[in-house]
């Protein structure tokens, strides 16, 4: 079934121990869409500027992503610069130019309104809520957020969280949002805010999914999918969004939502995140095959399962 | 089969978000011995001072640990003070009083010389090497070290590493010792220094074992055992030593050393580490049952394995 992602498209300047790149096509919606495209039909709503060319759009189109929801505005596309020279696990932002993203008002094309799956990438929670309410037939909604919204718009975020089925954030965001230094306790407090499930992304260590009691009829035991360390992380940008794309894309490809499907989705999330970081920007996500993806899935399984 | 551990016994002053404790019995050898005692016979060589009472020794004896190797010296036992108030994942040392530990010269009782398994806890690599050479009939030797020895006695450490079969250290120590920011590459460089296997401990995220090509006849694919987050970490002190005790203790209890046994050992390491942090000091490690341990092993397995 198809999935709609609403989020950012950006051009990034990136410096890592492996090198530097400028004007790399990025943004959460881009990484998410490419990762999810290996599992299901993807539709994207985002805003781009006049510097976004047909070749840029082709990166998405070549993966079959429906780009009719790309809104073109006067001005430049959102730009971000960051470096990971001291720490591959955390970006140091060097500049942020919101440009056309500053006035982003998501417009959902009519043809997208029937999308059974929805992913609200990391944007203003007020916009996330508006999109979710417009997409009121969505069967399952995933969402992301960040420390900025947790701290500056807590009330708006609380309203959005009531509309999200599965929230995907990292360890630090979970502890901040739950207001607790214990991850399991923080997770429980986040689940009390609305979501039925919370996926906590641990970077190179994989991810854990926590469930609200009774959610999806599958009990409340968490599940952890370990990733495996990558030989050469060239560029960590977009790893979390690629994880979300693999996770949500796999869910959207399945007829049923049960514990086993959610577990496999968590593994596929880790798989897509691990591919994303092997090259700068979305390079690796543009040319994968489903065979490569499933081979890495099997590898992750073999290298973490007892006999 | 029996295992001999050579390391420190200490009294710790500990402050964590859960509270403060003073004069808590600790030290790497203590945590290791208690954790390993649930799997096999344990012998301990360490130095203690006049403040080490019969009741302290009883903590080990009650778990069946052979304490004939405890050397009593004039003066006070090694003392360490640390706090985890800002970060449960990293101790901030407040004071270190080496006391009798400063002149520690491990004496192996004759009755211990036939121990088939040996663990060299984190002490001066020169002493580790001397013990290992004296225990020249040992079937398998595990070892630990830390940033201090990696930086200040690299040559001595290099000699010791040639004598160790399995090295157990954490992520940061692996990258420092291997001189590489990529964990898999750093691991390969560490393995080139001597050990056949390297266990990298990831704290709350579990551990990964890397193998030298052809080691133990089991190929060179790594294996990762994920731990699961603990509701309330009261005191992280000794988690790594308890992990080592569970890992080495389980290996010593098995007839054969194959890939499956090493994988299970990694899970048991995570299990013992997860118990250790639930209470201050060695409290939780003193009163476990093998049933509780195996129940948590099953829990870790269920919560990380696909169907």
């Amino acid at each position: 079934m198809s999935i709609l992602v609403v989020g950012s498209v950006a051009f990034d300047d990136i410096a890592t121990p492996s090198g530097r790149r400028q004007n790399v096509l990025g943004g959460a919606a881009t990484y998410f869409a490419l990762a999810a495209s290996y599992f299901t039909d993807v539709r994207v709503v985002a805003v781009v500027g006049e510097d976004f060319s047909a070749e840029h759009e082709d990166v998405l189109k070549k993966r079959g992503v429906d780009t009719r929801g790309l809104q073109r505005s006067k001005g430049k596309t959102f730009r971000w610069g960051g470096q990971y020279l001291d720490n591959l696990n955390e970006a140091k932002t060097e500049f942020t130019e919101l440009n056309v993203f500053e006035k982003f008002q998501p417009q959902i094309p009519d043809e997208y309104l029937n999308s059974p799956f929805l992913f609200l990438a990391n944007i203003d929670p007020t916009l996330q809520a508006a999109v979710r309410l417009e997409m009121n037939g969505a069967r399952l909604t995933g969402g992301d957020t960040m420390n900025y919204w947790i701290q500056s718009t807590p009330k708006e975020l609380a309203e959005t969280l009531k509309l999200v089925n599965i929230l995907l954030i990292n360890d630090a965001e979970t502890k901040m949002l739950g207001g607790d230094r214990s991850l399991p306790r923080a997770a429980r407090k986040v689940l009390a805010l609305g979501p039925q499930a919370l996926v906590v992304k641990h970077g190179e260590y994989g991810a854990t999914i926590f469930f609200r009691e009774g959610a999806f009829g599958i009990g409340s035991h968490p599940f952890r999918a370990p990733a495996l360390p990558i030989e050469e992380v060239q560029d960590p940008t977009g790893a979390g969004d690629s994880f979300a794309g693999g996770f949500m894309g796999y869910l959207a490809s399945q007829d049923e939502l049960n514990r086993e499907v959610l577990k496999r989705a968590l593994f596929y999330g880790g798989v897509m995140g691990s591919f994303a970081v092997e090259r700068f920007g979305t390079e690796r996500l543009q040319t994968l095959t489903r065979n490569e993806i499933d081979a890495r899935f099997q590898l992750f399984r073999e290298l973490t399962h007892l006999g």
Side-chain angles (χ1 to χ4, degrees), chain A:
Chain A
M1 281 177 283
S2 62
I3 185 163
L4 166 62
V5 55
V6 182
S8 60
V9 168
F11 291 120
D12 298 334
D13 286 1
I14 300 162
T16 82
S18 303
R20 288 169 184 277
R21 296 289 188 285
Q22 294 200 306
N23 299 314
V24 175
L25 177 63
T30 309
Y31 283 101
F32 181 97
L34 290 173
S37 73
Y38 291 93
F39 301 92
T40 196
D41 292 333
V42 184
R43 299 154 168 186
V44 60
V45 165
V47 64
V48 296
E50 295 156 302
D51 49 357
F52 187 85
S53 68
E55 289 92 70
H56 293 124
E57 190 165 345
D58 275 346
V59 169
L60 292 164
K61 279 178 156 175
K62 276 193 187 143
R63 286 294 320 142
V65 175
D66 185 334
T67 56
R68 286 175 292 177
L70 283 184
Q71 308 163 207
R72 277 151 209 287
S73 287
K74 274 220 147 86
K76 287 169 90 176
T77 300
F78 178 28
R79 294 182 57 85
W80 176 81
Q83 56 104 328
Y84 307 82
L85 297 174
D86 297 327
N87 183 358
L88 271 171
N89 295 311
E90 207 180 337
K92 214 161 160 181
T93 292
E94 295 195 317
F95 67 84
T96 304
E97 294 171 12
L98 293 176
N99 300 327
V100 299
F101 191 62
E102 190 169 6
K103 305 247 153 124
F104 180 38
Q105 290 291 340
Q107 313 288 330
I108 317 292
D110 287 346
E111 311 92 299
Y112 285 10
L113 288 171
N114 66 350
S115 310
F117 286 77
L118 171 64
F119 186 71
L120 304 166
N122 174 31
I123 58 173
D124 185 331
T126 306
L127 299 181
Q128 290 179 315
V131 168
R132 175 63 185 85
L133 292 172
E134 198 176 343
M135 295 287 296
N136 57 10
R139 184 181 149 189
L140 187 93
T141 301
D144 186 10
T145 191
M146 70 184 293
N147 49 6
Y148 176 78
W149 307 113
I150 296 170
Q151 292 177 313
S152 63
T153 62
K155 271 177 66 177
E156 292 80 355
L157 181 59
E159 288 307 307
T160 302
L161 291 178
K162 291 179 192 161
L163 306 168
V164 166
N165 301 106
I166 305 183
L167 182 68
L168 292 95
I169 51 181
N170 68 26
D171 284 74
E173 289 157 353
T174 302
K175 290 175 182 174
M176 184 187 282
L177 183 55
D180 202 306
R181 62 187 150 71
S182 151
L183 187 67
R185 278 200 311 247
R188 221 159 36 236
K189 290 177 183 174
V190 169
L191 292 170
L193 300 174
Q196 287 143 279
L198 167 68
V199 172
V200 183
K201 295 172 285 183
H202 310 308
E204 63 181 305
Y205 302 119
T208 306
I209 185 164
F210 294 91
F211 299 103
R212 186 133 56 94
E213 188 74 45
F216 309 116
I218 56 173
S220 63
H221 285 306
F223 177 74
R224 176 169 285 183
L228 272 161
I230 296 298
E231 187 81 15
E232 170 79 24
V233 173
Q234 284 212 344
D235 174 14
T237 312
D241 301 312
S242 306
F243 181 102
F247 177 84
M248 292 292 299
Y250 179 75
L251 288 187
S253 76
Q254 298 296 300
D255 294 329
E256 221 189 316
L257 214 84
N258 55 40
R259 186 173 169 86
E260 192 59 29
V261 165
L262 285 157
K263 284 158 67 171
R264 286 171 176 270
L266 214 63
F267 264 73
Y268 276 112
V271 164
M272 298 312 290
S274 79
F275 279 122
V277 303
E278 289 181 345
R279 297 279 183 284
F280 275 87
T282 61
E283 190 183 328
R284 192 74 180 96
L285 294 185
Q286 293 179 34
T287 57
L288 285 168
T289 65
R290 187 59 197 259
N291 274 354
E292 288 178 294
I293 291 167
D294 285 329
R296 185 159 295 180
F297 180 98
Q298 284 307 325
L299 191 72
F300 277 20
R301 181 193 185 120
E302 277 162 34
L303 299 188
T304 60
H305 279 45
L306 298 170

